């Protein structure tokens, strides 16, 4: 059993923020906040797996009332260094089970985080939990990568996803359980602990877009839009990821 508290510990929280670069660059955050702000409208938003506030803080600065759910104590502590509880309230716990106070027009899960739930049952419960937070007609937005099984050579169980100076990302697949482990290899003279290389591993359960849509239907959602990214570009068979917008059906 994976101990998520150990996985997302103080060291992970400290390394997560890269201000102005990578996931934190204006080119990434600008379109993300624009889409989420539009979907929230005049209502409040809740982020599942809010982390250190990468998206929640600029969304709040854009005028949206934001709350969050987060499992990791370390991530919440890092968030609290930047904003207090009155500005962005956060409930600590499992995003597939924990309930936050209030009602919301928008719930969202970004950067593949739904895949941190390692069983299909947990992922379905996450959709059901999102539905329980939303007003009728509210939206649940999920950003998720598309499994790249077509790139697996015959007889091989892994792919090199990123190769950069000082960093290597290798994904290994268990196709029977729909599990993938991302191996993050950091190397070179910039390592603070003096080692030549450091390896971190994060497990995920990957989800096909069609399976994600079925989970949504079970929880009472319908697919409203799917794009290849936050720029709302067309999703195609060659897209490596997607942003899916589900609308809670009014009953």
């Amino acid at each position: 059993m994976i101990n998520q508290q150990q996985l997302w510990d103080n060291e992970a929280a400290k390394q997560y923020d890269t201000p102005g670069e990578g996931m934190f660059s204006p080119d990434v955050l600008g379109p993300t906040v624009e889409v989420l702000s539009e979907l929230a409208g005049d209502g409040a938003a809740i982020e599942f797996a809010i982390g250190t506030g990468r998206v929640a803080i600029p969304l709040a600065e854009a005028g949206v009332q934001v709350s969050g759910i987060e499992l990791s104590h370390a991530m919440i502590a890092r968030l609290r260094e930047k904003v207090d509880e009155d500005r962005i309230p956060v409930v600590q716990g499992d995003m597939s089970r924990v309930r936050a106070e209030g009602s919301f027009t928008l719930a969202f899960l970004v950067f593949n985080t739904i895949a941190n739930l390692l069983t299909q049952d947990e992922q379905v419960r996450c959709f059901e939990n999102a539905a329980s937070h939303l007003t009728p007609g509210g939206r649940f937005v999920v950003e998720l990568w598309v499994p790249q099984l077509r790139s697996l050579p015959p007889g091989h169980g892994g792919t090199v996803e990123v190769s950069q100076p000082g960093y290597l990302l290798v994904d290994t697949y268990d196709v029977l359980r729909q599990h993938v482990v991302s191996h993050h290899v950091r190397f070179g003279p910039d390592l603070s602990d003096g080692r030549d290389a450091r390896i971190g591993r994060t497990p995920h359960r990957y989800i096909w877009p069609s399976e994600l849509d079925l989970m949504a239907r079970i929880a009472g959602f319908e697919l409203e839009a799917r794009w290849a990214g936050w720029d709302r570009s067309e999703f195609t068979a060659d897209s490596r990821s997607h942003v899916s917008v589900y609308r809670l059906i009014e009953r």
Side-chain angles (χ1 to χ4, degrees):
M1 180 68 66
I2 300 296
N3 187 320
Q4 295 288 346
Q5 290 290 354
Q6 292 180 352
L7 187 62
W8 304 107
D9 59 7
N10 290 326
E11 186 67 21
K14 183 174 65 175
Q15 295 178 354
Y16 191 80
D17 289 1
T18 55
E21 300 178 354
M23 295 188 302
F24 287 77
S25 71
D27 290 344
V28 173
L29 283 177
T32 304
V33 170
E34 179 181 348
V35 170
L36 294 175
S37 180
E38 178 183 316
L39 292 173
D42 295 328
I46 181 165
E47 180 173 6
F48 284 22
I50 195 171
T52 66
R54 178 182 72 93
V55 175
I57 292 175
L59 186 60
E61 291 172 346
V64 178
Q65 181 182 342
V66 183
S67 299
I69 295 173
E70 173 57 49
L71 180 65
S72 167
H73 294 287
M75 290 289 189
I76 296 174
R78 175 66 179 141
L79 171 64
R80 288 289 165 252
E81 295 175 9
K82 295 180 276 186
V83 294
D84 60 26
E85 179 74 15
D86 291 336
R87 182 78 181 278
I88 301 180
V90 175
V91 178
Q92 191 277 325
D94 182 343
M95 64 184 173
S96 70
R97 298 179 181 273
V98 167
R99 184 73 169 82
E101 292 186 5
S103 60
F104 305 86
T105 57
L106 175 69
F108 62 98
L109 246 178
V110 298
F111 203 62
N112 309 320
T113 317
I114 193 171
N116 289 357
L117 301 171
L118 299 180
T119 69
Q120 187 182 69
D121 286 344
E122 290 176 302
Q123 292 168 346
V124 170
R125 281 200 306 267
C126 185
F127 270 91
E128 293 172 336
N129 196 26
S132 75
H133 283 80
L134 292 172
T135 56
R139 273 99 171 184
F140 185 33
V141 179
V142 179
E143 179 186 18
L144 187 61
W145 95 100
V146 177
Q148 297 301 304
L149 298 188
R150 288 185 300 177
S151 61
L152 280 177
H156 293 266
T159 59
V160 177
E161 295 297 316
V162 178
S163 178
Q164 299 174 346
Y167 177 69
L168 187 68
L169 171 61
V170 178
D171 283 347
T172 54
Y173 287 86
D174 176 349
V175 296
L176 292 179
R177 296 191 300 159
Q178 288 185 214
H179 279 188
V180 58
V181 177
S182 295
H183 307 263
H184 308 270
V185 184
R186 293 175 173 85
F187 53 91
D190 295 333
L191 292 181
S192 59
D193 55 12
R195 289 182 291 176
D196 292 332
R198 183 171 60 240
I199 300 177
R201 296 179 176 86
T202 53
H204 315 277
R205 181 186 184 272
Y206 61 82
I207 315 169
W208 297 105
S210 57
E211 183 187 9
L212 198 72
D213 293 348
L214 182 56
M215 292 179 183
R217 288 175 57 192
I218 291 171
F221 290 97
E222 61 183 359
L223 181 65
E224 185 174 72
R226 172 167 288 140
W227 309 302
W230 294 103
D231 59 357
R232 308 187 208 216
S233 55
E234 181 184 4
F235 179 75
T236 71
D238 295 322
S239 297
R240 300 291 297 265
S241 63
H242 59 95
V243 174
S244 296
V245 181
Y246 297 99
R247 182 177 179 273
L248 187 62
I249 300 171
E250 301 183 47
R251 299 186 184 277

